[in-house]
Amino acid sequence: MLFNSHVYIFLFLPVTLTVYFLLNHFRFQSFSKVFLFVASLFFYSWWNWLYLPLIIVSVVFNYFIGRALSPRLGHLNAHQRKGVLVFGVSVNLGLLAFFKYADFFITNVNLLTGMGMKLLEMALPLAISFFTFQQIAYLVDSFRGETKEHSFVNYSIFVTFFPQLIAGPIVHHKEMMGQFDRRENKNINWENLYAGLFIFSIGLFKKV
């Protein structure tokens, strides 16, 4: 779903904003965050729903690896935590390398050996670089003991939040995760809304 598409501007964005703030208005704060996570997954899967399990598995995997790495939550010694960090980073980079370079590797093996292996011809999953490196940064911060927020819902939104998921920037967990529980962010701030619409309009004009 493109930010300049009709379905995003006239359907997805207004519906998501309306439902999110209505849920907060009626004090369903937990449901509002779950809704935002589901809406972000819907946004992601609009392009190709077949890759939806990939980002869900990535979120769940890195969340629990991050908890294991946290000195506050985990029960591992320093050596074990270092091994878990290496494992977590390796899995993330391995997944990224598989989707990005599998056909490149097969092509070169075919050239060198003449084996004639068939290319996988997989489309690169949307935003895989963004959510992979964002979560690697989170794992490193967890290893260093710099993560204080450990809500699974907040973490899920942190990774999948639709405004920055497909085009970045890669954001730091401390900049974002705490915002979902701040009282001032649960109600509409009309000044922020007007400023956001103004900036969005400028970007839309440049894009179109």
Side-chain angles (χ1 to χ4, degrees), residues 8-154:
Y8 178 83
I9 296 173
F10 298 114
L11 186 61
F12 177 82
L13 184 60
V15 168
T16 301
L17 284 174
T18 301
V19 173
Y20 175 76
F21 285 116
L22 278 176
L23 287 171
N24 281 312
H25 176 75
F26 291 108
R27 302 189 183 281
F28 296 114
Q29 284 88 356
S30 297
F31 289 107
S32 70
K33 292 191 290 186
V34 172
F35 169 76
L36 195 57
F37 173 52
V38 173
S40 296
L41 291 180
F42 176 82
F43 174 86
Y44 180 82
S45 63
W46 184 267
W47 174 66
N48 189 343
W49 66 269
L50 292 175
Y51 289 118
L52 184 59
L54 176 66
I55 192 172
I56 293 175
V57 170
S58 178
V59 167
V60 173
F61 171 80
N62 284 287
Y63 172 75
F64 283 105
I65 291 293
R67 286 183 66 91
L69 289 171
S70 174
R72 296 182 181 90
L73 300 177
H75 304 286
L76 305 176
N77 60 41
H79 180 72
Q80 290 171 325
R81 289 172 55 244
K82 186 175 293 185
V84 171
L85 176 63
V86 172
F87 170 71
V89 172
S90 299
V91 170
N92 280 285
L93 292 179
L95 187 68
L96 180 62
F98 173 75
F99 282 102
K100 276 199 166 187
Y101 302 114
D103 280 350
F104 173 77
F105 175 77
I106 293 172
T107 299
N108 282 277
V109 170
N110 287 339
L111 288 173
L112 292 172
T113 65
M115 293 178 62
M117 289 188 294
K118 188 177 181 180
L119 299 179
L120 300 178
E121 296 182 348
M122 296 180 299
L124 186 67
L126 189 66
I128 188 172
S129 295
F130 286 112
F131 69 72
T132 296
F133 287 115
Q134 185 159 306
Q135 292 186 103
I136 287 176
Y138 177 78
L139 295 184
V140 173
D141 287 340
S142 294
F143 176 77
R144 293 173 176 171
E146 298 176 2
T147 53
K148 299 179 181 179
E149 168 67 70
H150 299 286
S151 163
F152 176 72
V153 176
N154 287 1

Side-chain angles (χ1 to χ4, degrees), residues 3 8-9 13 190-208:
F3 292 131
Y8 178 83
I9 296 173
L13 184 60
W190 293 105
E191 184 177 349
N192 286 346
L193 185 62
Y194 296 149
L197 287 173
F198 178 72
I199 295 171
F200 182 86
S201 300
I202 294 174
L204 180 64
F205 176 81
K206 291 181 176 181
K207 180 74 173 178
V208 175

